[in-house]
Amino acid sequence: MSQPTQHVLLIAPVMDALQQQLDAHYTVHRLYQQPDAAAWLAENGANVGAVVTRGDVGVTSAVLENLSQVGVIAIFGVGTDAVDLEYARRRHIAVTVTAGALTDDVADLAFGLLLSSARQLCLGDRFVREGRWLQESPALATQVSRKRIGIFGMGNIGRAIARRASGFDMDIYYTDRQADNTLPYHWCDDVLSLAQRSDFFVVAVSGGKESQGIVNREVFQVLPVHALVINIARGSIINEPDLIAALQNGDIAGAGLDVFVDEPNVPAEFIGMDNVVLQPHVASATHETRQRMSHIVFENVQAYFNGQPLPHRIN
């Protein structure tokens, strides 16, 4: 087997430290800087041995078609919905993610959105800054402790959210592809039965074709009217028009959203609602976690070029 070519194709910008580390060891090409990406790929694609990309961007099969020597796709993130895994399997292209590095941060933000939505932290901050406290009392908020939380997706992040919920003495329900009898939580057969039992409905399931739009009008209709919806997974999992309608009609009480279908374009309806807390897809955006993610990406690229087993391969 010939030594893979030491050229890396960077699909989208990543942390400066990671880019500098890749630059120091390999020949790095930045596809996002090419004025004519198709022409560049046609002329240079055969030299590329590794692809580095972000989870929210991925890499298209059309790009990979031009990379005859590529052997690994190293994803900065845990989302694989923007990569055709079946195509990668057929081409024998390894796919790696930064699993584990961002679990705590994403779970922290999920609970931050839950608390902010329930206790109206953003409204309270504005209430003080606008001087309204001098003339009136703030509105009452919603208790979090000892309430029911429904977690849709009990992977690493879902489990971390559940552990945090247990600290608030919450009654924890969940659904996923299958029940895990080792977990001390209440299993629900499907997303609708989970929604019926949720004061707080947290979306933590993986994105992709299987989950696209699965949290929709049916779910919002069976949620209690006082329920809050939290999404730190992928914007595509929630049918946004259905969520907007549910909020406008009072079918649910509010939402906390870190992800959207067409980022960074957030629907104006969300922006105009006081009962929706918005974040710019920053669940893993801490110095510590992004450094760990960068290290994992480089570790996988280095292992591939050195002919070693890939430590974070998923396929």
Side-chain angles (χ1 to χ4, degrees):
M1 182 177 177
S2 61
Q3 182 73 9
T5 176
Q6 308 257 309
H7 288 248
V8 174
L9 182 62
L10 188 58
I11 303 296
V14 290
M15 293 283 290
D16 288 345
L18 174 56
Q19 295 197 50
Q20 291 164 8
Q21 197 170 24
L22 290 169
D23 284 331
H25 291 81
Y26 308 108
T27 302
V28 179
H29 309 279
R30 292 164 172 80
L31 190 63
Y32 59 92
Q33 291 182 346
Q34 300 300 326
D36 188 340
W40 187 93
L41 287 166
E43 183 176 351
N44 302 283
N47 294 324
V48 173
V51 166
V52 172
T53 187
R54 300 200 310 258
D56 60 328
V57 175
V59 57
T60 66
S61 297
V63 168
L64 294 173
E65 288 283 357
N66 292 273
L67 312 180
S68 59
Q69 301 300 313
V70 70
V72 64
I73 302 168
I75 299 175
F76 185 89
V78 295
T80 59
D81 45 306
V83 175
D84 187 337
L85 296 179
E86 176 58 25
Y87 175 86
R89 186 193 64 79
R90 291 197 306 269
R91 286 275 310 273
H92 304 289
I93 302 171
V95 178
T96 69
V97 296
T98 56
L102 46 71
T103 298
D104 284 337
D105 272 353
V106 177
D108 287 350
L109 189 74
F111 232 83
L113 284 170
L114 191 155
L115 287 166
S116 295
S117 302
R119 298 305 304 270
Q120 301 178 6
L121 300 186
C122 297
L123 290 178
D125 177 87
R126 194 187 316 162
F127 188 85
V128 174
R129 292 177 189 276
E130 292 175 351
R132 292 164 55 196
W133 197 14
L134 300 171
Q135 286 84 34
E136 57 184 304
S137 298
L140 296 178
T142 298
Q143 182 175 328
V144 172
S145 295
R146 293 178 294 281
K147 290 291 186 68
R148 300 171 303 172
I149 184 172
I151 302 174
F152 180 24
M154 193 52 81
N156 290 336
I157 292 171
R159 292 168 191 243
I161 293 169
R163 290 194 297 272
R164 284 151 178 77
S166 66
F168 283 78
D169 299 318
M170 301 183 82
D171 207 6
I172 301 167
Y173 295 80
Y174 77 99
T175 194
D176 209 321
R177 289 187 178 89
Q178 60 187 19
D180 185 340
N181 295 326
T182 67
L183 295 175
Y185 313 130
H186 306 290
W187 161 257
C188 295
D189 292 329
D190 54 41
V191 68
L192 291 179
S193 59
L194 178 71
Q196 290 173 331
R197 295 165 174 80
S198 300
D199 299 313
F200 302 98
F201 183 85
V202 182
V203 180
V205 71
S206 298
K209 294 179 181 179
E210 290 184 3
S211 61
Q212 186 171 358
I214 196 171
V215 179
N216 55 23
R217 180 172 176 268
E218 287 185 272
V219 174
F220 301 132
Q221 286 185 328
V222 300
L223 278 166
V225 294
H226 61 262
L228 296 172
V229 173
I230 309 299
N231 189 8
I232 44 74
R234 280 286 186 263
S236 61
I237 298 167
I238 290 182
N239 182 306
E240 280 186 348
D242 286 358
L243 175 57
I244 290 168
L247 290 163
Q248 291 174 335
N249 297 335
D251 296 331
I252 59 174
L257 308 172
D258 183 47
V259 288
F260 307 89
V261 171
D262 183 26
E263 298 173 0
N265 301 302
V266 177
E269 293 89 345
F270 287 146
I271 294 174
M273 294 179 182
D274 283 340
N275 59 339
V276 180
V277 178
L278 306 171
Q279 290 292 294
H281 200 155
V282 291
S284 67
T286 66
H287 294 291
E288 297 85 352
T289 287
R290 291 292 170 87
Q291 288 169 3
R292 285 194 294 270
M293 291 168 67
S294 296
H295 173 75
I296 290 172
V297 169
F298 182 78
E299 187 178 37
N300 282 286
V301 171
Q302 188 175 50
Y304 172 71
F305 283 131
N306 290 339
Q308 300 169 342
L310 305 183
H312 300 86
R313 181 172 181 167
I314 62 167
N315 64 338

